Amino acid sequence: MTRMTETVIGVGGAAESTDMVLNIGPQHPSTHGVLRLRLVLDGERISSAEPVVGYMHRGAEKLFEARDYRQIIVLANRHDWLSAFSNELGVVLAVERMLGMEVPERAVWLRTLLAELNRVLNHLMFLGSYPLELGGITPIFYAFTERESLQHVMEEVSGGRMHYMFNRVGGLKDELPAGWTGRAREAVADVRSGMTRLDELVLGNEVFRARTRGVGVLRPETAHAFGISGPIARASGVDFDLRRDDSYLAYGELGDVLRVVTRDAGDCLARFEVLLDQAKNALDLADACLDRLAELPPGPVNQRLPKVLKAPEGATYAWTENPLGINGYYLVSKGEKTPYRLKLRSASFNNIQALRELLPGTLVADMVAILGSFFFVVGDIDK
């Protein structure tokens, strides 16, 4: 009788008590850029998560101290490259507050208009890319079609497609090109009609709703604890928007048009819905600004500045409701032509920290859905 030999080549049970550490990024298709997520897994479920940032740090805050008040605009422009106009706006508002400077009325309404067009451009990028991460490729083509309509008018007025550099301390760089308001109104109408396709393709899709409803629920108390703002916070029922609650520019006169969109569910689906509705309201605000500009008489769009611009000694803080949340600049001046200190409070930096509370307990398969629904830009995290 032949003798049988039994060999054990693997034991599955031994792995059950061993946690697995999984690094997502810093170079990974699901991380929206140079972000690293250090996940500890228990099987298919995440037991802990740590967002690791800093791989793209460019030292903008330190560079602010070596540039004069005209030059720092180009640095502020870039941290959230989808919201360049809004980034510029925050820093010039801080400098103007230090100087006690009044901006011409026409420039105030133009800034409000361009900020809302920039908001729509930002939101359309995420409204198209988020379904792509869940397997739906068609929405991104429609979203980019609508973005091009707005990009044309933004490029015509500023000369730039992403980094507009159109804000100046005291107003705006130039007056509008002839006939620009009519072309802007046509672009707004085109984008508004195209929004229905996103409603039908995405929100009407059963697979998308199944992948996002009840997934990644962010509680309002967690949003408050981490200083989360913008569409993500409002999707969790945090009813706060600086345009209404601490109005700046012309928003105080747009109260009948401005609508602060909120949801109570706090899940991935709610965050997408808030972003979509907020983009639609931004188009309404843009139309209202165009109506107001048509009533204003011709006039300057900026103030004459001295050759060397110096802010008086002191400190101030200016914050704006950027597309992704609260953007703030704390400016300290020693009376020189460069800031002594300019601290940037960016929306994405605070928002992304909540992933350490949100991801534990969820499945690895839902991680991409949750991460994508946080609508962040890595440059806005690392500054």
Side-chain angles (χ1 to χ4, degrees), residues 107 112 127 142 153 158 208 219 303:
T112 310
L127 291 170
Y142 288 127
V153 294
S158 68
F208 178 83
R219 297 174 299 167
Q303 296 275 26

Side-chain angles (χ1 to χ4, degrees), residues 51-68:
V52 183
V53 303
Y55 291 93
M56 198 178 174
H57 180 56
R58 290 166 290 173
E61 291 182 347
K62 197 64 181 174
L63 290 173
F64 284 145
E65 301 171 13
R67 305 291 189 275
D68 66 34

Side-chain angles (χ1 to χ4, degrees), residues 223-235:
H224 286 300
F226 281 91
I228 294 173
S229 59
I232 300 172
R234 289 191 283 274

Side-chain angles (χ1 to χ4, degrees), residues 20-38:
M20 175 182 177
V21 177
L22 178 65
N23 281 292
I24 306 295
Q27 303 289 349
H28 191 278
S30 73
T31 57
H32 288 229
V34 196
L35 173 72
R36 175 186 168 203
L37 287 176
R38 185 181 182 276

Side-chain angles (χ1 to χ4, degrees), residues 230-243:
I232 300 172
R234 289 191 283 274
S236 297
V238 179
D239 189 6
F240 181 75
D241 190 312
L242 285 174
R243 296 174 296 173

Side-chain angles (χ1 to χ4, degrees), residues 114 117-118 120-121 124 143-162 164 166 176-188 190-191:
L114 295 171
L117 293 180
N118 193 196
V120 179
L121 281 169
L124 280 171
F144 265 80
T145 299
E146 311 310 330
R147 287 186 93 249
E148 279 302 307
S149 299
L150 294 179
Q151 288 281 31
H152 284 317
V153 294
M154 293 294 283
E155 184 176 9
E156 182 185 2
V157 75
S158 68
R161 283 181 60 83
M162 284 186 67
Y164 306 112
F166 199 56
L176 301 176
W180 183 86
T181 53
R183 291 186 288 276
R185 197 180 291 276
E186 291 174 7
V188 169
D190 290 343
V191 174

Side-chain angles (χ1 to χ4, degrees), residues 34-246:
V34 196
L35 173 72
R36 175 186 168 203
L37 287 176
R38 185 181 182 276
L39 307 178
V40 178
L41 307 181
D42 181 7
E44 287 294 315
R45 200 166 293 276
I46 299 171
S47 57
S48 71
E50 179 189 2
V52 183
V53 303
Y55 291 93
M56 198 178 174
H57 180 56
R58 290 166 290 173
E61 291 182 347
K62 197 64 181 174
L63 290 173
F64 284 145
E65 301 171 13
R67 305 291 189 275
D68 66 34
Y69 288 106
R70 291 180 175 89
Q71 295 170 330
I72 59 175
I73 299 173
V74 74
L75 294 171
N77 175 287
R78 284 161 163 72
H79 58 88
D80 175 0
W81 46 76
L82 296 178
S83 309
F85 186 87
S86 300
N87 299 341
E88 300 169 12
L89 189 59
V91 71
V92 296
L93 288 176
V95 178
E96 288 164 2
R97 183 173 296 177
M98 288 286 287
L99 293 169
M101 180 180 291
E102 289 289 333
V103 175
E105 184 181 13
R106 186 169 177 80
V108 171
W109 282 96
L110 276 172
R111 281 178 171 180
T112 310
L113 167 62
L114 295 171
E116 291 307 310
L117 293 180
N118 193 196
R119 191 181 310 276
V120 179
L121 281 169
N122 176 289
H123 291 355
L124 280 171
M125 176 63 79
F126 291 110
L127 291 170
S129 65
Y130 184 48
L132 180 65
E133 295 174 14
L134 300 180
I137 192 171
T138 306
I140 197 165
F141 295 117
Y142 288 127
F144 265 80
T145 299
E146 311 310 330
R147 287 186 93 249
E148 279 302 307
S149 299
L150 294 179
Q151 288 281 31
H152 284 317
V153 294
M154 293 294 283
E155 184 176 9
E156 182 185 2
V157 75
S158 68
R161 283 181 60 83
M162 284 186 67
H163 303 299
Y164 306 112
M165 279 303 296
F166 199 56
N167 275 291
R168 294 292 186 273
V169 175
L172 295 170
K173 177 176 178 286
D174 290 312
E175 179 55 273
L176 301 176
W180 183 86
T181 53
R183 291 186 288 276
R185 197 180 291 276
E186 291 174 7
V188 169
D190 290 343
V191 174
R192 183 181 285 108
S193 63
M195 284 290 190
T196 57
R197 294 184 292 195
L198 289 172
D199 271 323
E200 296 164 0
L201 278 171
V202 183
L203 290 181
N205 186 289
E206 294 181 4
V207 176
F208 178 83
R209 299 183 76 88
R211 288 292 308 276
T212 55
R213 184 190 286 116
V215 175
V217 176
L218 176 68
R219 297 174 299 167
E221 52 268 29
T222 304
H224 286 300
F226 281 91
I228 294 173
S229 59
I232 300 172
R234 289 191 283 274
S236 297
V238 179
D239 189 6
F240 181 75
D241 190 312
L242 285 174
R243 296 174 296 173
R244 178 198 64 192
D245 300 322
D246 191 8

